[in-house]
Amino acid sequence: MLSLTACQSQPDANEIARENSAKANEIAQKTIIADTHIDVPYRLDDSFEDVSQHTEKGDFDYPRAVSGGLNAPFMSIYTPASLEGTGQSKVLADQLIDVVEALVKASPDKFALAYSTDEVQDNVKNGLISFPMGMENGSPIEGDLANLSHFYERGVRYITLAHAKANHISDSSYDTKRPAHGLTEFGKVLVQEMNKLGVMIDVSHISDEAFYQVMAISQTPVIASHSSVRYFTPGFERNMNDDMIRLLAEKGGIIQINFGSTFISQQSIENYEAYTKAETAFMEAHQVAEDSEELKAFSSDYRQRIPFEFATLNDVLDHFDHVIKLVGVEHVGIGSDFDGVGDSLPEGLKDVAAYPNLIAGFLNRGYSEADIEKILSGNLLRVWKQVEDYAASH
């Protein structure tokens, strides 16, 4: 039997949680936090807001980023798959980079561009939030390697080879048509040229077959900039299976966990699929369009009866845990998809102010501060530096 003194000496669970919450805020403020996928440029191109100030909409703005300790959000230069072959992909990509540059020009006391790992670290020392850039969908390359150099010069430091549909580079995980059976011949050349130039290869969104071809070709570690773990979402090819994660890690790469509920929770996926199936059935039965008032009323009523099932912070932590148990803490990081997954973000991870919640979760699960630092940015900066060093020597 424990003595009264012994019982009193054991810390209360709530007290531990409070201590970890306070420690999480400290870690967030003193450690570089890099998030490899935030869709601010496309959001602002659609509906501009001054993100140097607090905004009512969206998941990112400067005050919330400072509160959350975010230092290096990769601005996603996203082009829809529908622009493939139209000649408009490059136009839009340049336009979105203009948006990022304009944000920096308007608020040089808050934001700075970052073309290298050194510039990220220098910006942190100067109290600035870095805006490195990643291109989501390689469509703007438009089959011309000169465009790869063009976008590198403009600051793009990773390219997601495809998006929702197959393009001239790669098949897509979302596309049932697989015309290239992986990478196209141009795609295979592009991977090699990205290695030489110092652009990280992003395997999020591409088909499994394309992933294995990238891994066979690339001479540098690759990233999955915003993917989660297929173990928890069987059949969802957009996430990575255990064999892929092992190979990614074996070659030194990283998987950056996407926070979207339908990436994290099978229950969320099934809930959303049932909702979209009901919408489609209503449209067909009543012969109404997607933007019709009738469909809006139906959807509102449906969601009142059957609310969306959000993932939880613990669900997200489970994805990190799975990767770490599988391949080690050196091969995972953050690719939230803030401003890219609509209203599907998990409870406790609703915007860029919420990184301390994630850190507290790691502390509650027994992670050391050194391991947390690797997850927050150390792993990503290591891979990015390896890609830079390879390019400098070739």
Side-chain angles (χ1 to χ4, degrees):
M1 178 181 294
L2 290 172
S3 69
L4 179 61
T5 302
C7 289
Q8 289 175 336
S9 68
Q10 292 181 357
D12 175 76
N14 290 331
E15 183 180 343
I16 292 173
R18 285 192 295 271
E19 290 175 356
N20 283 343
S21 179
K23 185 176 181 182
N25 279 294
E26 292 176 10
I27 292 172
Q29 294 302 321
K30 72 180 183 180
T31 306
I32 295 176
I33 298 179
D35 188 325
T36 46
H37 199 86
I38 297 186
D39 277 292
V40 168
Y42 196 77
R43 164 194 160 195
L44 297 186
D45 188 62
D46 179 63
S47 179
F48 185 79
E49 296 179 283
D50 181 5
V51 294
S52 72
Q53 308 297 324
H54 176 72
T55 60
E56 294 300 323
K57 299 178 183 178
D59 309 326
F60 173 93
D61 58 42
Y62 180 78
R64 285 182 285 172
V66 170
S67 175
L70 178 61
N71 306 101
F74 273 72
M75 296 288 100
S76 175
I77 306 304
Y78 162 68
T79 55
S82 59
L83 295 183
E84 173 75 11
T86 66
Q88 293 303 303
S89 290
K90 181 177 181 293
V91 172
L92 178 57
D94 276 320
Q95 183 175 315
L96 296 182
I97 295 172
D98 291 344
V99 169
V100 177
E101 291 178 345
L103 291 175
V104 171
K105 186 176 181 180
S107 302
D109 58 328
K110 297 176 179 177
F111 305 128
L113 298 172
Y115 296 162
S116 68
T117 53
D118 286 345
E119 287 184 350
V120 168
Q121 290 162 336
D122 288 344
N123 290 338
V124 170
K125 291 174 185 175
N126 292 325
L128 301 171
I129 291 178
S130 289
F131 283 165
M133 286 179 275
M135 177 178 285
E136 185 179 23
N137 189 5
S139 184
I141 301 302
E142 296 185 347
D144 187 348
L145 293 176
N147 287 334
L148 172 63
S149 298
H150 166 78
F151 286 115
Y152 177 83
E153 292 300 321
R154 295 213 67 187
V156 168
R157 289 301 178 265
Y158 76 70
I159 297 175
T160 318
L161 300 182
H163 193 251
K165 295 288 184 183
N167 62 15
H168 69 284
I169 297 167
S170 175
D171 291 336
S172 163
S173 64
Y174 282 131
D175 195 344
T176 56
K177 297 177 182 178
R178 308 289 168 96
H181 301 286
L183 298 175
T184 65
E185 290 306 310
F186 177 78
K188 294 172 183 176
V189 172
L190 181 67
V191 167
Q192 298 173 65
E193 292 303 312
M194 288 170 67
N195 283 170
K196 293 175 185 176
L197 195 56
V199 180
M200 290 180 282
I201 297 156
D202 178 16
V203 296
S204 290
H205 278 289
I206 65 176
S207 68
D208 286 5
E209 195 170 1
F211 165 81
Y212 286 109
Q213 290 172 12
V214 166
M215 298 308 295
I217 296 169
S218 180
Q219 299 300 304
T220 64
V222 308
I223 69 170
S225 71
H226 59 306
S227 295
S228 299
V229 178
R230 203 180 302 174
Y231 173 86
F232 298 102
T233 58
F236 185 39
E237 190 178 344
R238 175 66 179 78
N239 282 343
M240 299 184 73
N241 67 33
D242 285 3
D243 181 71
M244 297 165 76
I245 294 169
R246 288 191 192 97
L247 182 56
L248 186 80
E250 182 183 316
K251 298 294 185 73
I254 47 172
I255 175 173
Q256 305 285 98
I257 300 299
N258 187 313
F259 293 172
S261 290
T262 54
F263 288 78
I264 295 296
S265 165
Q266 184 64 26
Q267 289 72 31
S268 295
I269 291 174
E270 291 170 3
N271 177 289
Y272 183 71
E273 287 177 344
Y275 167 67
T276 55
K277 185 177 180 181
E279 273 197 326
T280 301
F282 180 86
M283 289 170 62
E284 292 176 352
H286 295 83
Q287 295 295 297
V288 296
E290 285 187 27
D291 59 351
S292 67
E293 292 301 318
E294 294 90 341
L295 183 63
K296 290 177 184 176
F298 169 82
S299 300
S300 176
D301 177 68
Y302 182 100
R303 278 308 187 199
Q304 286 181 353
R305 291 182 292 106
I306 308 174
F308 179 71
E309 188 165 341
F310 290 98
T312 66
L313 172 60
N314 277 325
D315 292 330
V316 175
L317 290 165
D318 286 346
H319 282 249
F320 282 94
D321 276 350
H322 185 85
V323 176
I324 291 164
K325 289 172 183 174
L326 191 68
V327 296
V329 74
E330 295 80 12
H331 301 287
V332 69
I334 299 170
S336 64
D337 216 345
F338 283 137
D339 277 331
V341 288
D343 297 327
S344 76
L345 289 160
E347 301 296 342
L349 290 172
K350 292 296 188 184
D351 61 20
V352 294
Y355 297 104
N357 295 343
L358 184 70
I359 297 168
F362 289 132
L363 291 170
N364 291 335
R365 293 193 178 200
Y367 283 86
S368 69
E369 189 170 336
D371 282 347
I372 293 170
E373 289 174 0
K374 291 177 183 178
I375 296 167
L376 296 181
S377 64
N379 295 333
L380 181 276
L381 292 174
R382 168 184 56 80
V383 169
W384 187 1
K385 185 66 165 62
Q386 286 177 270
V387 171
E388 290 175 336
D389 289 346
Y390 181 89
S393 64
H394 287 76

